[in-house]
Each structure stands twice: as structure tokens, then as C-alpha cells.
Amino acid sequence: MSLQVEKLEKNMAKLTVEVPAEQFEEALKTSYKKNRSRFNIPGFRKGKAPQALIEKMYGPGILYEDAADEVINITYRDAMDESGLDIVSRPEISVEQIEKGQTFIYTALVAVKPEVTLGEYKGIEVERARPEVTDEDINGELKKVQEQNSRLVAVEDRPVADGDQVVIDFDGYVDGVPFEGGKAESYSLTIGSHSFIDTFEEQLIGKNVEEEVEVNVTFPEQYHAAELAGKPAVFKVVIHEIKVKELPELDDEFAGEVSEFDTLDEYKADIKAKLAETKQKQATTENENNVVDKVVANASMEIPDAMIEEQVRNTLDDYARRMQSQGLTMEQYMQFTGMTRERLMEDIRPQAEKRIRTRLVLEAVVAAENLEASEETLNGEIQKMADSYKMEPDRVKELLGESGIDRIKEDLAVQEAVDFLVAEAKLV
């Protein structure tokens, strides 16, 4: 394999990789073995026709795609290492020459980690976050516990009001035709939750039990189901039940039921102490973020679009995994919210770019100040992982491998940079 590296504008680079004809020939043989059972050649049992005969009947390019994938998968990692570049995106592959008996040539367009020029980063002046627990905060916590201990009570002497929970049947039509997913029975809906499209919920306000209601709405232009996007729809709705939350009284009896305290005053004092601790942690995080944000704003760098797109994809994948752990697929999320993948990626992009800028600047501070995590800090982090997974620390190290441990060291060094910047900052 031979490699040429061409550095382009905006921290992009093009790798041109040439693979000897002999190696491509071996990949063609592998492709033949993998795919030969797909071809029916008269006079031969399925999977037994020679490679040369398959190429003669279907054309020499019939095995090229798999062979090219095979060669690229084998050689690209070596090309990355040999290039000496810090590549931060997936490669955009383009096959330049592919022919039996000839050198196989492909290019990989990649983003390269940009250089950071630090501005002022020591002695940064920011306004100190001052944690304060107010009566409103305490009452807000009490309200949450009230809500958690509420019960739903049927209402029969008034129509639907904002905040009620209703049990409905509905049947939806577009252009007079029912559509998939537009029908349900005994569906529980909280008025004001905005879980239904457009003004669906608002049109139920003022209606009575067993009243039939015709609800007119319009699907969002960006609705996930293209056949419904932007179209008006009519829902025939029947309201079967109206329910309202009944909250318990805030008194000593309530405190005794929901806490370990005998009186409401004692319970409030405990809430205040816990809120103070939480707010202090939030203030510490806010101070860190404010200092780091100002250091990032003072730095300069040119981030390639491909690097941002890679971060957007990774963020979206993480988001999908979190939802899946809660039993929800991305498709279901799109359906419930009317969001599209493209719009979600667009929404994620500013956050992804900020994350990249912050990480690059903190890594630059690590390099400028020669910061690194101590062995004690590293071992402490591995111990936390071991405790979390109920493993021995040595087993965790074994599973992580050298590259995994190096990544942890890098992350810990970045946190060292945050601590350094805050310690050097002037919080006023």
C-alpha cells in the first residue's frame, strides 16, 4: 500500500491510497467465495461455478463492490496511522481506479483536528453564582410531592377544563378517509399537556361527558408521516370521562405520610436543607461553565463541518440509545413529537459545535499547562467503574485495554483543566 496526503482548506485532508493489484485480486477471490451461491450458471450446481465463468457471464465488475469494501476496510486504518493526522470524522470514500489486474486506488476525504489559539485564560473574571433557597422553592417541592400523592376524581357536574384528564374515543379523517394511527378507544389525555397536535386539546374544553365533538386540526408541515404533513384533519371525538386531580392537604398528617417527620415544619426544614445542598452543587457547576465559556470565547479555531456532523451523529445515536433503554424507539419518538430526523439534527448542531469547541480549548489548556491526572485519580475512577459493574479493578483495566485507559486519562486531564481555570478565575 502507498499513501499520499494532501492538506486542504478548513482543516480537511485527502488521503490517496494505492493498493497493489495482487491484494485487490485476493479481495476478488474473497468476494467470489462469499457471493458464489447467489449465481445460477447452467451446467453447474449453485455455488460451484468458477469465478472466471461468473465474471464472463455477468461482467468483471460483478464482484468489485464487495472486493473494494474488503480492501478499504483492511487498508484504511493503516492509512490513517501512516498519515500522522489526527482524523476526527468518518472518511468520505471515493474509488478512483478499480479494474482487475490494475492497482486499486481510492481517496478518503477527512476532517483533521483543528489547532487552537488560546486567548486570555488565566484570571478570567466572571460573576459568582450565589445559591439561595426561597420560600417559593420550598413550596415548589411540596407541590411536587402533593402531585405525586394526588388522586384522580371523576367530575360529573361541569364540562372539561384546562388541566383535566379526559378519557376519549377518537377517529381521525383526512379528506374524509381514515388514516393509520388516527383511531383509539378509552384514551387518557391530559388537557394542556400539548401531547396532541395543533389545538386538539383546546377544542375539548367546555365539552361535557358523552358529548360528541368534531375537532378540526392541521398536521405540522414537518410531520414525520409525509402523507399527512401540512394536511387538515377532522377527528370525531367522544368524551367518556372527566377527571380532576385532588391534592392532599398540606398539614402535619401529610408530612407524616410522605416523610420521616411528624410535623410539616420539620419536613419543610429538611426540604430546605436538601435544596441548599443541591443549589450549592448547581452553583459550582454554573461557576465552572461560566469560566470555561469565557475561555472558549477568547480562543480561536476553525472547525471543519465534517467534524461537527460527526458529533451530531454521535449525539443522535446516544439519544436513541437512551430512549431505547426506556422502551421507546426513534421512530416512535418522531411519531409522537412530529419531529423529523433532519430537524432533530439541525437542533442538535449548535450544541454539538459548542461541545467540540469546549473540548478543544480544554485540551489546549491541558497542553499549555502540562496537566495530567495522577495515578491516584486514575485508580479512583477505575474503582468507581469497578463498583458500578461489580468487578475487580484489574478486570476493568483488562476490558478497557490500553486505548480505553488512555481515553480515561484524557478525560480526567480535561477535568483538571476545568479545575485549573476555576482556581485561576476571579469570581466576583
Side-chain angles (χ1 to χ4, degrees):
M1 179 196 84
S2 66
L3 171 70
Q4 289 182 341
V5 178
E6 181 184 356
K7 292 189 177 180
L8 308 174
E9 294 180 342
K10 297 184 178 179
N11 290 305
M12 297 295 291
K14 183 168 79 170
L15 311 184
T16 300
V17 183
E18 296 189 11
V19 181
E22 296 79 12
Q23 188 172 350
F24 183 61
E25 184 65 39
E26 287 301 314
L28 282 171
K29 290 178 183 177
T30 302
S31 176
Y32 160 69
K33 290 174 184 175
K34 188 168 102 176
N35 293 289
R36 59 188 173 185
S37 60
R38 292 172 39 216
F39 302 103
N40 290 313
I41 306 294
F44 292 90
R45 285 180 301 165
K46 200 169 185 180
K48 297 298 182 181
Q51 179 180 341
L53 187 55
I54 290 173
E55 290 174 341
K56 183 177 180 181
M57 287 197 65
Y58 290 92
I62 190 66
L63 302 173
Y64 280 3
E65 185 176 347
D66 270 354
D69 287 345
E70 169 90 6
V71 170
I72 292 167
N73 287 338
I74 291 172
T75 59
Y76 177 67
R77 175 60 61 180
D78 291 338
M80 278 182 65
D81 294 341
E82 189 179 324
S83 74
L85 300 175
D86 195 344
I87 294 172
V88 290
S89 73
R90 300 177 194 185
E92 187 179 314
I93 301 291
S94 177
V95 174
E96 303 297 329
Q97 179 173 292
I98 182 168
E99 187 177 345
K100 195 170 184 181
Q102 298 292 321
T103 301
F104 174 70
I105 304 173
Y106 70 92
T107 60
L109 187 64
V110 295
V112 179
K113 183 177 178 179
E115 291 185 10
V116 175
T117 302
L118 289 171
E120 182 184 1
Y121 67 94
K122 295 180 185 179
I124 292 295
E125 188 173 300
V126 297
E127 186 176 348
R128 184 189 298 273
R130 290 176 170 82
E132 180 187 358
V133 179
T134 64
D135 289 342
E136 187 180 351
D137 295 327
I138 297 169
N139 291 333
E141 287 300 308
L142 283 171
K143 181 72 173 175
K144 288 179 189 175
V145 181
Q146 264 188 309
E147 292 278 354
Q148 291 165 2
N149 288 274
S150 65
R151 63 192 185 102
L152 287 171
V153 178
V155 175
E156 298 178 354
D157 59 351
R158 66 164 177 78
V160 175
D162 192 21
D164 288 347
Q165 185 179 102
V166 295
V167 178
I168 59 174
D169 295 344
F170 62 83
D171 204 351
Y173 299 84
V174 170
D175 297 329
V177 180
F179 59 89
E180 186 178 351
K183 182 175 183 177
E185 295 180 352
S186 299
Y187 187 94
S188 292
L189 173 65
T190 299
I191 305 300
S193 65
H194 303 294
S195 54
F196 272 33
I197 62 167
D198 204 10
T199 59
F200 186 103
E201 295 163 26
E202 288 89 333
Q203 292 181 56
L204 299 183
I205 293 174
K207 309 302 181 183
N208 294 292
V209 171
E210 299 307 327
E211 184 173 350
E212 295 184 9
V213 186
E214 190 172 276
V215 174
N216 292 277
V217 294
T218 301
F219 283 97
E221 291 290 344
Q222 302 297 324
Y223 197 63
H224 68 94
E227 68 275 11
L228 300 176
K231 291 190 176 179
V234 176
F235 285 86
K236 295 180 180 178
V237 182
V238 179
I239 302 169
H240 292 305
E241 294 180 73
I242 304 173
K243 298 177 182 179
V244 65
K245 279 184 181 179
E246 187 176 84
L247 301 176
E249 289 291 328
L250 287 175
D251 52 23
D252 291 344
E253 183 180 349
F254 170 78
E257 288 176 354
V258 301
S259 74
E260 60 191 64
F261 302 100
D262 296 326
T263 69
L264 185 60
D265 287 341
E266 289 175 319
Y267 182 39
K268 282 184 175 181
D270 181 65
I271 290 174
K272 184 174 183 179
K274 288 176 179 173
L275 281 174
E277 184 180 347
T278 299
K279 289 210 168 193
Q280 183 56 59
K281 289 178 181 176
Q282 290 171 344
T284 299
T285 300
E286 186 178 343
N287 287 331
E288 288 180 355
N289 290 341
N290 289 341
V291 170
V292 171
D293 285 349
K294 202 160 184 179
V295 173
V296 172
N298 291 342
S300 60
M301 71 207 80
E302 188 173 26
I303 302 175
D305 286 341
M307 187 179 186
I308 299 173
E309 288 160 11
E310 181 77 6
Q311 181 65 52
V312 168
R313 282 192 293 265
N314 291 340
T315 302
L316 194 58
D317 290 345
D318 289 343
Y319 193 43
R321 279 191 289 271
R322 285 199 303 273
M323 284 195 295
Q324 195 167 17
S325 69
Q326 298 167 3
L328 192 67
T329 66
M330 278 296 288
E331 289 72 22
Q332 289 169 323
Y333 171 79
M334 302 292 185
Q335 184 177 357
F336 295 153
T337 61
M339 183 72 77
T340 64
R341 183 179 177 86
E342 290 73 23
R343 209 169 107 210
L344 188 55
M345 291 180 75
E346 189 179 325
D347 289 347
I348 290 171
R349 189 179 176 89
Q351 168 198 345
E353 183 172 354
K354 181 179 179 181
R355 185 176 298 177
I356 291 169
R357 286 186 180 278
T358 300
R359 178 74 182 205
L360 289 174
V361 168
L362 291 173
E363 287 177 354
V365 172
V366 167
E369 297 295 330
N370 294 315
L371 300 174
E372 62 179 355
S374 66
E375 280 298 313
E376 183 181 357
T377 304
L378 175 62
N379 290 333
E381 189 66 22
I382 289 174
Q383 185 63 58
K384 284 182 193 174
M385 296 175 68
D387 293 342
S388 174
Y389 293 109
K390 295 181 172 55
M391 292 181 182
E392 290 299 317
D394 287 344
R395 178 57 178 157
V396 172
K397 288 181 181 179
E398 184 183 335
L399 290 172
L400 286 170
E402 190 175 335
S403 61
I405 291 174
D406 285 343
R407 281 194 297 272
I408 292 175
K409 286 180 179 178
E410 289 169 5
D411 290 341
L412 292 173
V414 163
Q415 184 55 51
E416 292 280 339
V418 174
D419 296 341
F420 170 82
L421 293 174
V422 173
E424 290 285 322
K426 298 173 184 175
L427 301 177
V428 297

